[in-house]
Amino acid sequence: MTGHMDIPFVSFKPLENELNLTEIFERVLNKSWYIGGDEDKAFEDAFAEYLGVRFCVGCGNGLDALMLSLKALGIESGDEVIVPSNTYIATALAVVYLGAKVVLAEPKLETFNIDPVEMEKAITDKTKAIMPVHLYGQPCDMDKITQLAKKYKLMIVEDCAQAHGAKYRGKKVGTFGNAAGFSFYPGKNLGALGDAGAVATNSRTTADKVRALGNYGSDYKYHHIYQGYNSRLDEIQAAFLNEKLPLLEKTNMFRKQVAKRYLSEIRNPGIILPAVPEYADPVWHVFAVRTENRDELERYLLERGIHTNKHYPIPIHRQKAFKGYFEGKYPIAEEISRTELSLPMYYGMTDSQVEYVIETINEFGR
């Protein structure tokens, strides 16, 4: 077995070493234009083209992208929005910020993604939108979800915070619904050097409203048509994203190769590997495994220099922030929160690092 190594859960350095970030910063600094300039427009145009949508509107972060999407689509107090029971809390917060009600639907244990059957069970006459989350970079079953949306006349807001470039039946996620929210938090597959986000849509009306809402509700200076927010994409972050976007396919392919090795070479019977449906082309923002001995595995790997993470150890319905909010039981979300562990996954991992992770996991429990 390979000698002891220290492997971080994620590292930005391999990609950053391929970029001249200082030059990018100086370019923006020399323009003395920091919000709503050429860099922002260039990124919005480039990201829209990359996804295959008509419009992209930059904003402050991924949570704002989801909230602004819902707001632009008319979600308001009294409406219900269905979200997965095992997503990050931001998906639910985007709903409650508008005074609407979060309704949880359970995922499929094999894929971690929302189960369309459970989604349909959660629909009521107050349901106005559904929010599929392409969790860990794996696309949801969008054919079934779009069929439900048509059947019940619901809007779809895709949460693509972890799924930049992921494809469902050859088509990129973020292009199936009325709008999609993206996060460019530094750890994402496409990450800024701070907080940043964007809304993607094929509707000019939605795009214009998102842009106005994120700019204090203003369609032009000192003219406010909505009670809006302050959520705009900074020029400096747009510039960094402009530099990284052309490398996204390469870095995603690298992650796929690491995942391929994990899937084929991890052979510990106590470890449950993620399932990849035939329709899915995931980008592996997170490589999540499950085991009944999660905490023991976490300690075992850390003792051997392998850093991991848990997504997410406390499900939404058990968070203090939502105490008394949900009445139902969510055993699958709880099962995932109890058993899930995320392995190191980032662009630039060496073959020996990947091999060390695999060998170490295969020795666990023996």
Side-chain angles (χ1 to χ4, degrees):
M1 181 172 170
T2 306
H4 187 281
M5 304 180 73
D6 188 68
I7 303 176
F9 175 67
V10 65
S11 175
F12 307 140
K13 285 300 179 185
L15 179 57
E16 290 175 352
N17 288 339
E18 296 182 20
L19 305 170
N20 193 332
L21 300 178
T22 303
E23 184 179 287
I24 297 166
F25 175 79
E26 289 177 347
R27 184 178 78 220
V28 175
L29 186 65
N30 290 335
K31 290 180 183 178
S32 296
W33 191 294
Y34 304 114
I35 293 175
D38 294 341
E39 300 286 353
D40 189 12
K41 185 179 187 312
F43 175 71
E44 290 179 348
D45 291 347
F47 195 57
E49 182 178 357
Y50 171 78
L51 293 175
V53 296
R54 293 179 62 202
F55 306 103
C56 170
V57 181
C59 61
N61 53 67
L63 169 55
D64 285 359
L66 297 174
M67 183 271 292
L68 292 170
S69 295
L70 292 169
K71 179 80 170 178
L73 293 170
I75 299 300
E76 58 188 9
S77 178
D79 293 339
E80 293 181 355
V81 180
I82 299 173
V83 310
S85 58
N86 66 313
T87 185
Y88 184 57
I89 197 170
T91 315
L93 290 176
V95 178
V96 299
Y97 283 176
L98 302 179
K101 182 181 178 182
V102 178
V103 176
L104 300 180
E106 289 270 75
K108 289 187 175 182
L109 196 56
E110 302 78 17
T111 65
F112 303 104
N113 276 336
I114 195 165
D115 185 341
V117 173
E118 296 300 315
M119 180 183 281
E120 185 168 20
K121 290 178 185 177
I123 294 171
T124 72
D125 58 359
K126 293 182 179 179
T127 308
K128 294 296 190 296
I130 50 184
M131 294 183 70
V133 180
H134 305 293
L135 199 66
Y136 309 153
Q138 169 118 265
C140 295
D141 191 346
M142 292 311 298
D143 280 348
K144 292 180 180 177
I145 290 171
T146 52
Q147 287 167 10
L148 284 179
K150 290 177 183 176
K151 179 179 179 181
Y152 294 97
K153 296 181 173 56
L154 305 175
M155 292 175 289
I156 298 174
V157 174
E158 294 176 75
D159 184 338
C160 300
Q162 301 181 3
H164 315 71
K167 294 178 182 177
Y168 175 85
R169 300 197 188 281
K171 183 181 178 184
K172 288 191 178 78
V173 300
T175 62
F176 291 89
N178 300 85
F182 286 83
S183 167
F184 305 117
Y185 181 77
K188 305 300 186 187
N189 290 36
L190 179 61
L193 271 67
D195 278 318
V199 174
T201 181
N202 281 310
S203 165
R204 180 180 293 278
T205 300
T206 301
D208 288 348
K209 190 167 183 180
V210 166
R211 190 177 300 282
L213 284 167
N215 188 35
Y216 299 96
S218 173
D219 53 350
Y220 61 89
K221 198 170 182 67
Y222 301 133
H223 184 259
H224 302 270
I225 53 179
Y226 310 113
Q227 294 178 5
Y229 310 86
N230 175 16
S231 183
R232 299 170 296 198
L233 177 60
D234 294 341
E235 281 286 281
I236 186 63
Q237 300 302 344
F240 291 137
L241 291 168
N242 275 325
E243 197 73 12
K244 285 186 170 186
L245 180 57
L247 301 176
L248 180 57
E249 286 297 302
K250 179 180 83 167
T251 57
N252 278 347
M253 182 57 66
F254 186 96
R255 289 172 177 266
K256 292 176 187 181
Q257 293 301 317
V258 175
K260 185 178 180 180
R261 289 200 63 187
Y262 281 165
L263 289 168
S264 63
E265 298 178 39
I266 293 176
R267 301 189 184 95
N268 190 317
I271 306 297
I272 302 170
L273 297 169
V276 182
E278 50 85 21
Y279 57 69
D281 182 6
V283 292
W284 303 105
H285 172 62
V286 166
F287 191 93
V289 302
R290 290 195 307 111
T291 176
E292 287 295 320
N293 304 306
R294 191 268 305 280
D295 294 344
E296 291 88 341
L297 177 61
E298 180 184 30
R299 285 193 296 269
Y300 165 86
L301 292 176
L302 186 58
E303 287 169 358
R304 287 153 181 81
I306 299 171
H307 297 255
T308 58
N309 207 337
K310 296 187 285 285
H311 295 89
Y312 300 97
I314 305 174
I316 291 173
H317 68 281
R318 291 199 175 277
Q319 293 286 353
K320 185 178 180 181
F322 281 97
K323 185 176 181 180
Y325 191 96
F326 300 107
E327 297 177 358
K329 296 183 182 299
Y330 306 95
I332 299 178
E334 294 196 10
E335 176 78 358
I336 292 171
S337 70
R338 182 179 66 84
T339 60
E340 190 275 344
L341 190 69
S342 305
L343 304 184
M345 171 62 75
Y346 56 91
Y347 173 74
M349 287 185 74
T350 65
D351 288 342
S352 59
Q353 286 178 318
V354 176
E355 186 173 332
Y356 180 67
V357 173
I358 293 167
E359 291 179 348
T360 306
I361 289 175
N362 284 339
E363 291 292 324
F364 176 66
R366 295 185 180 177

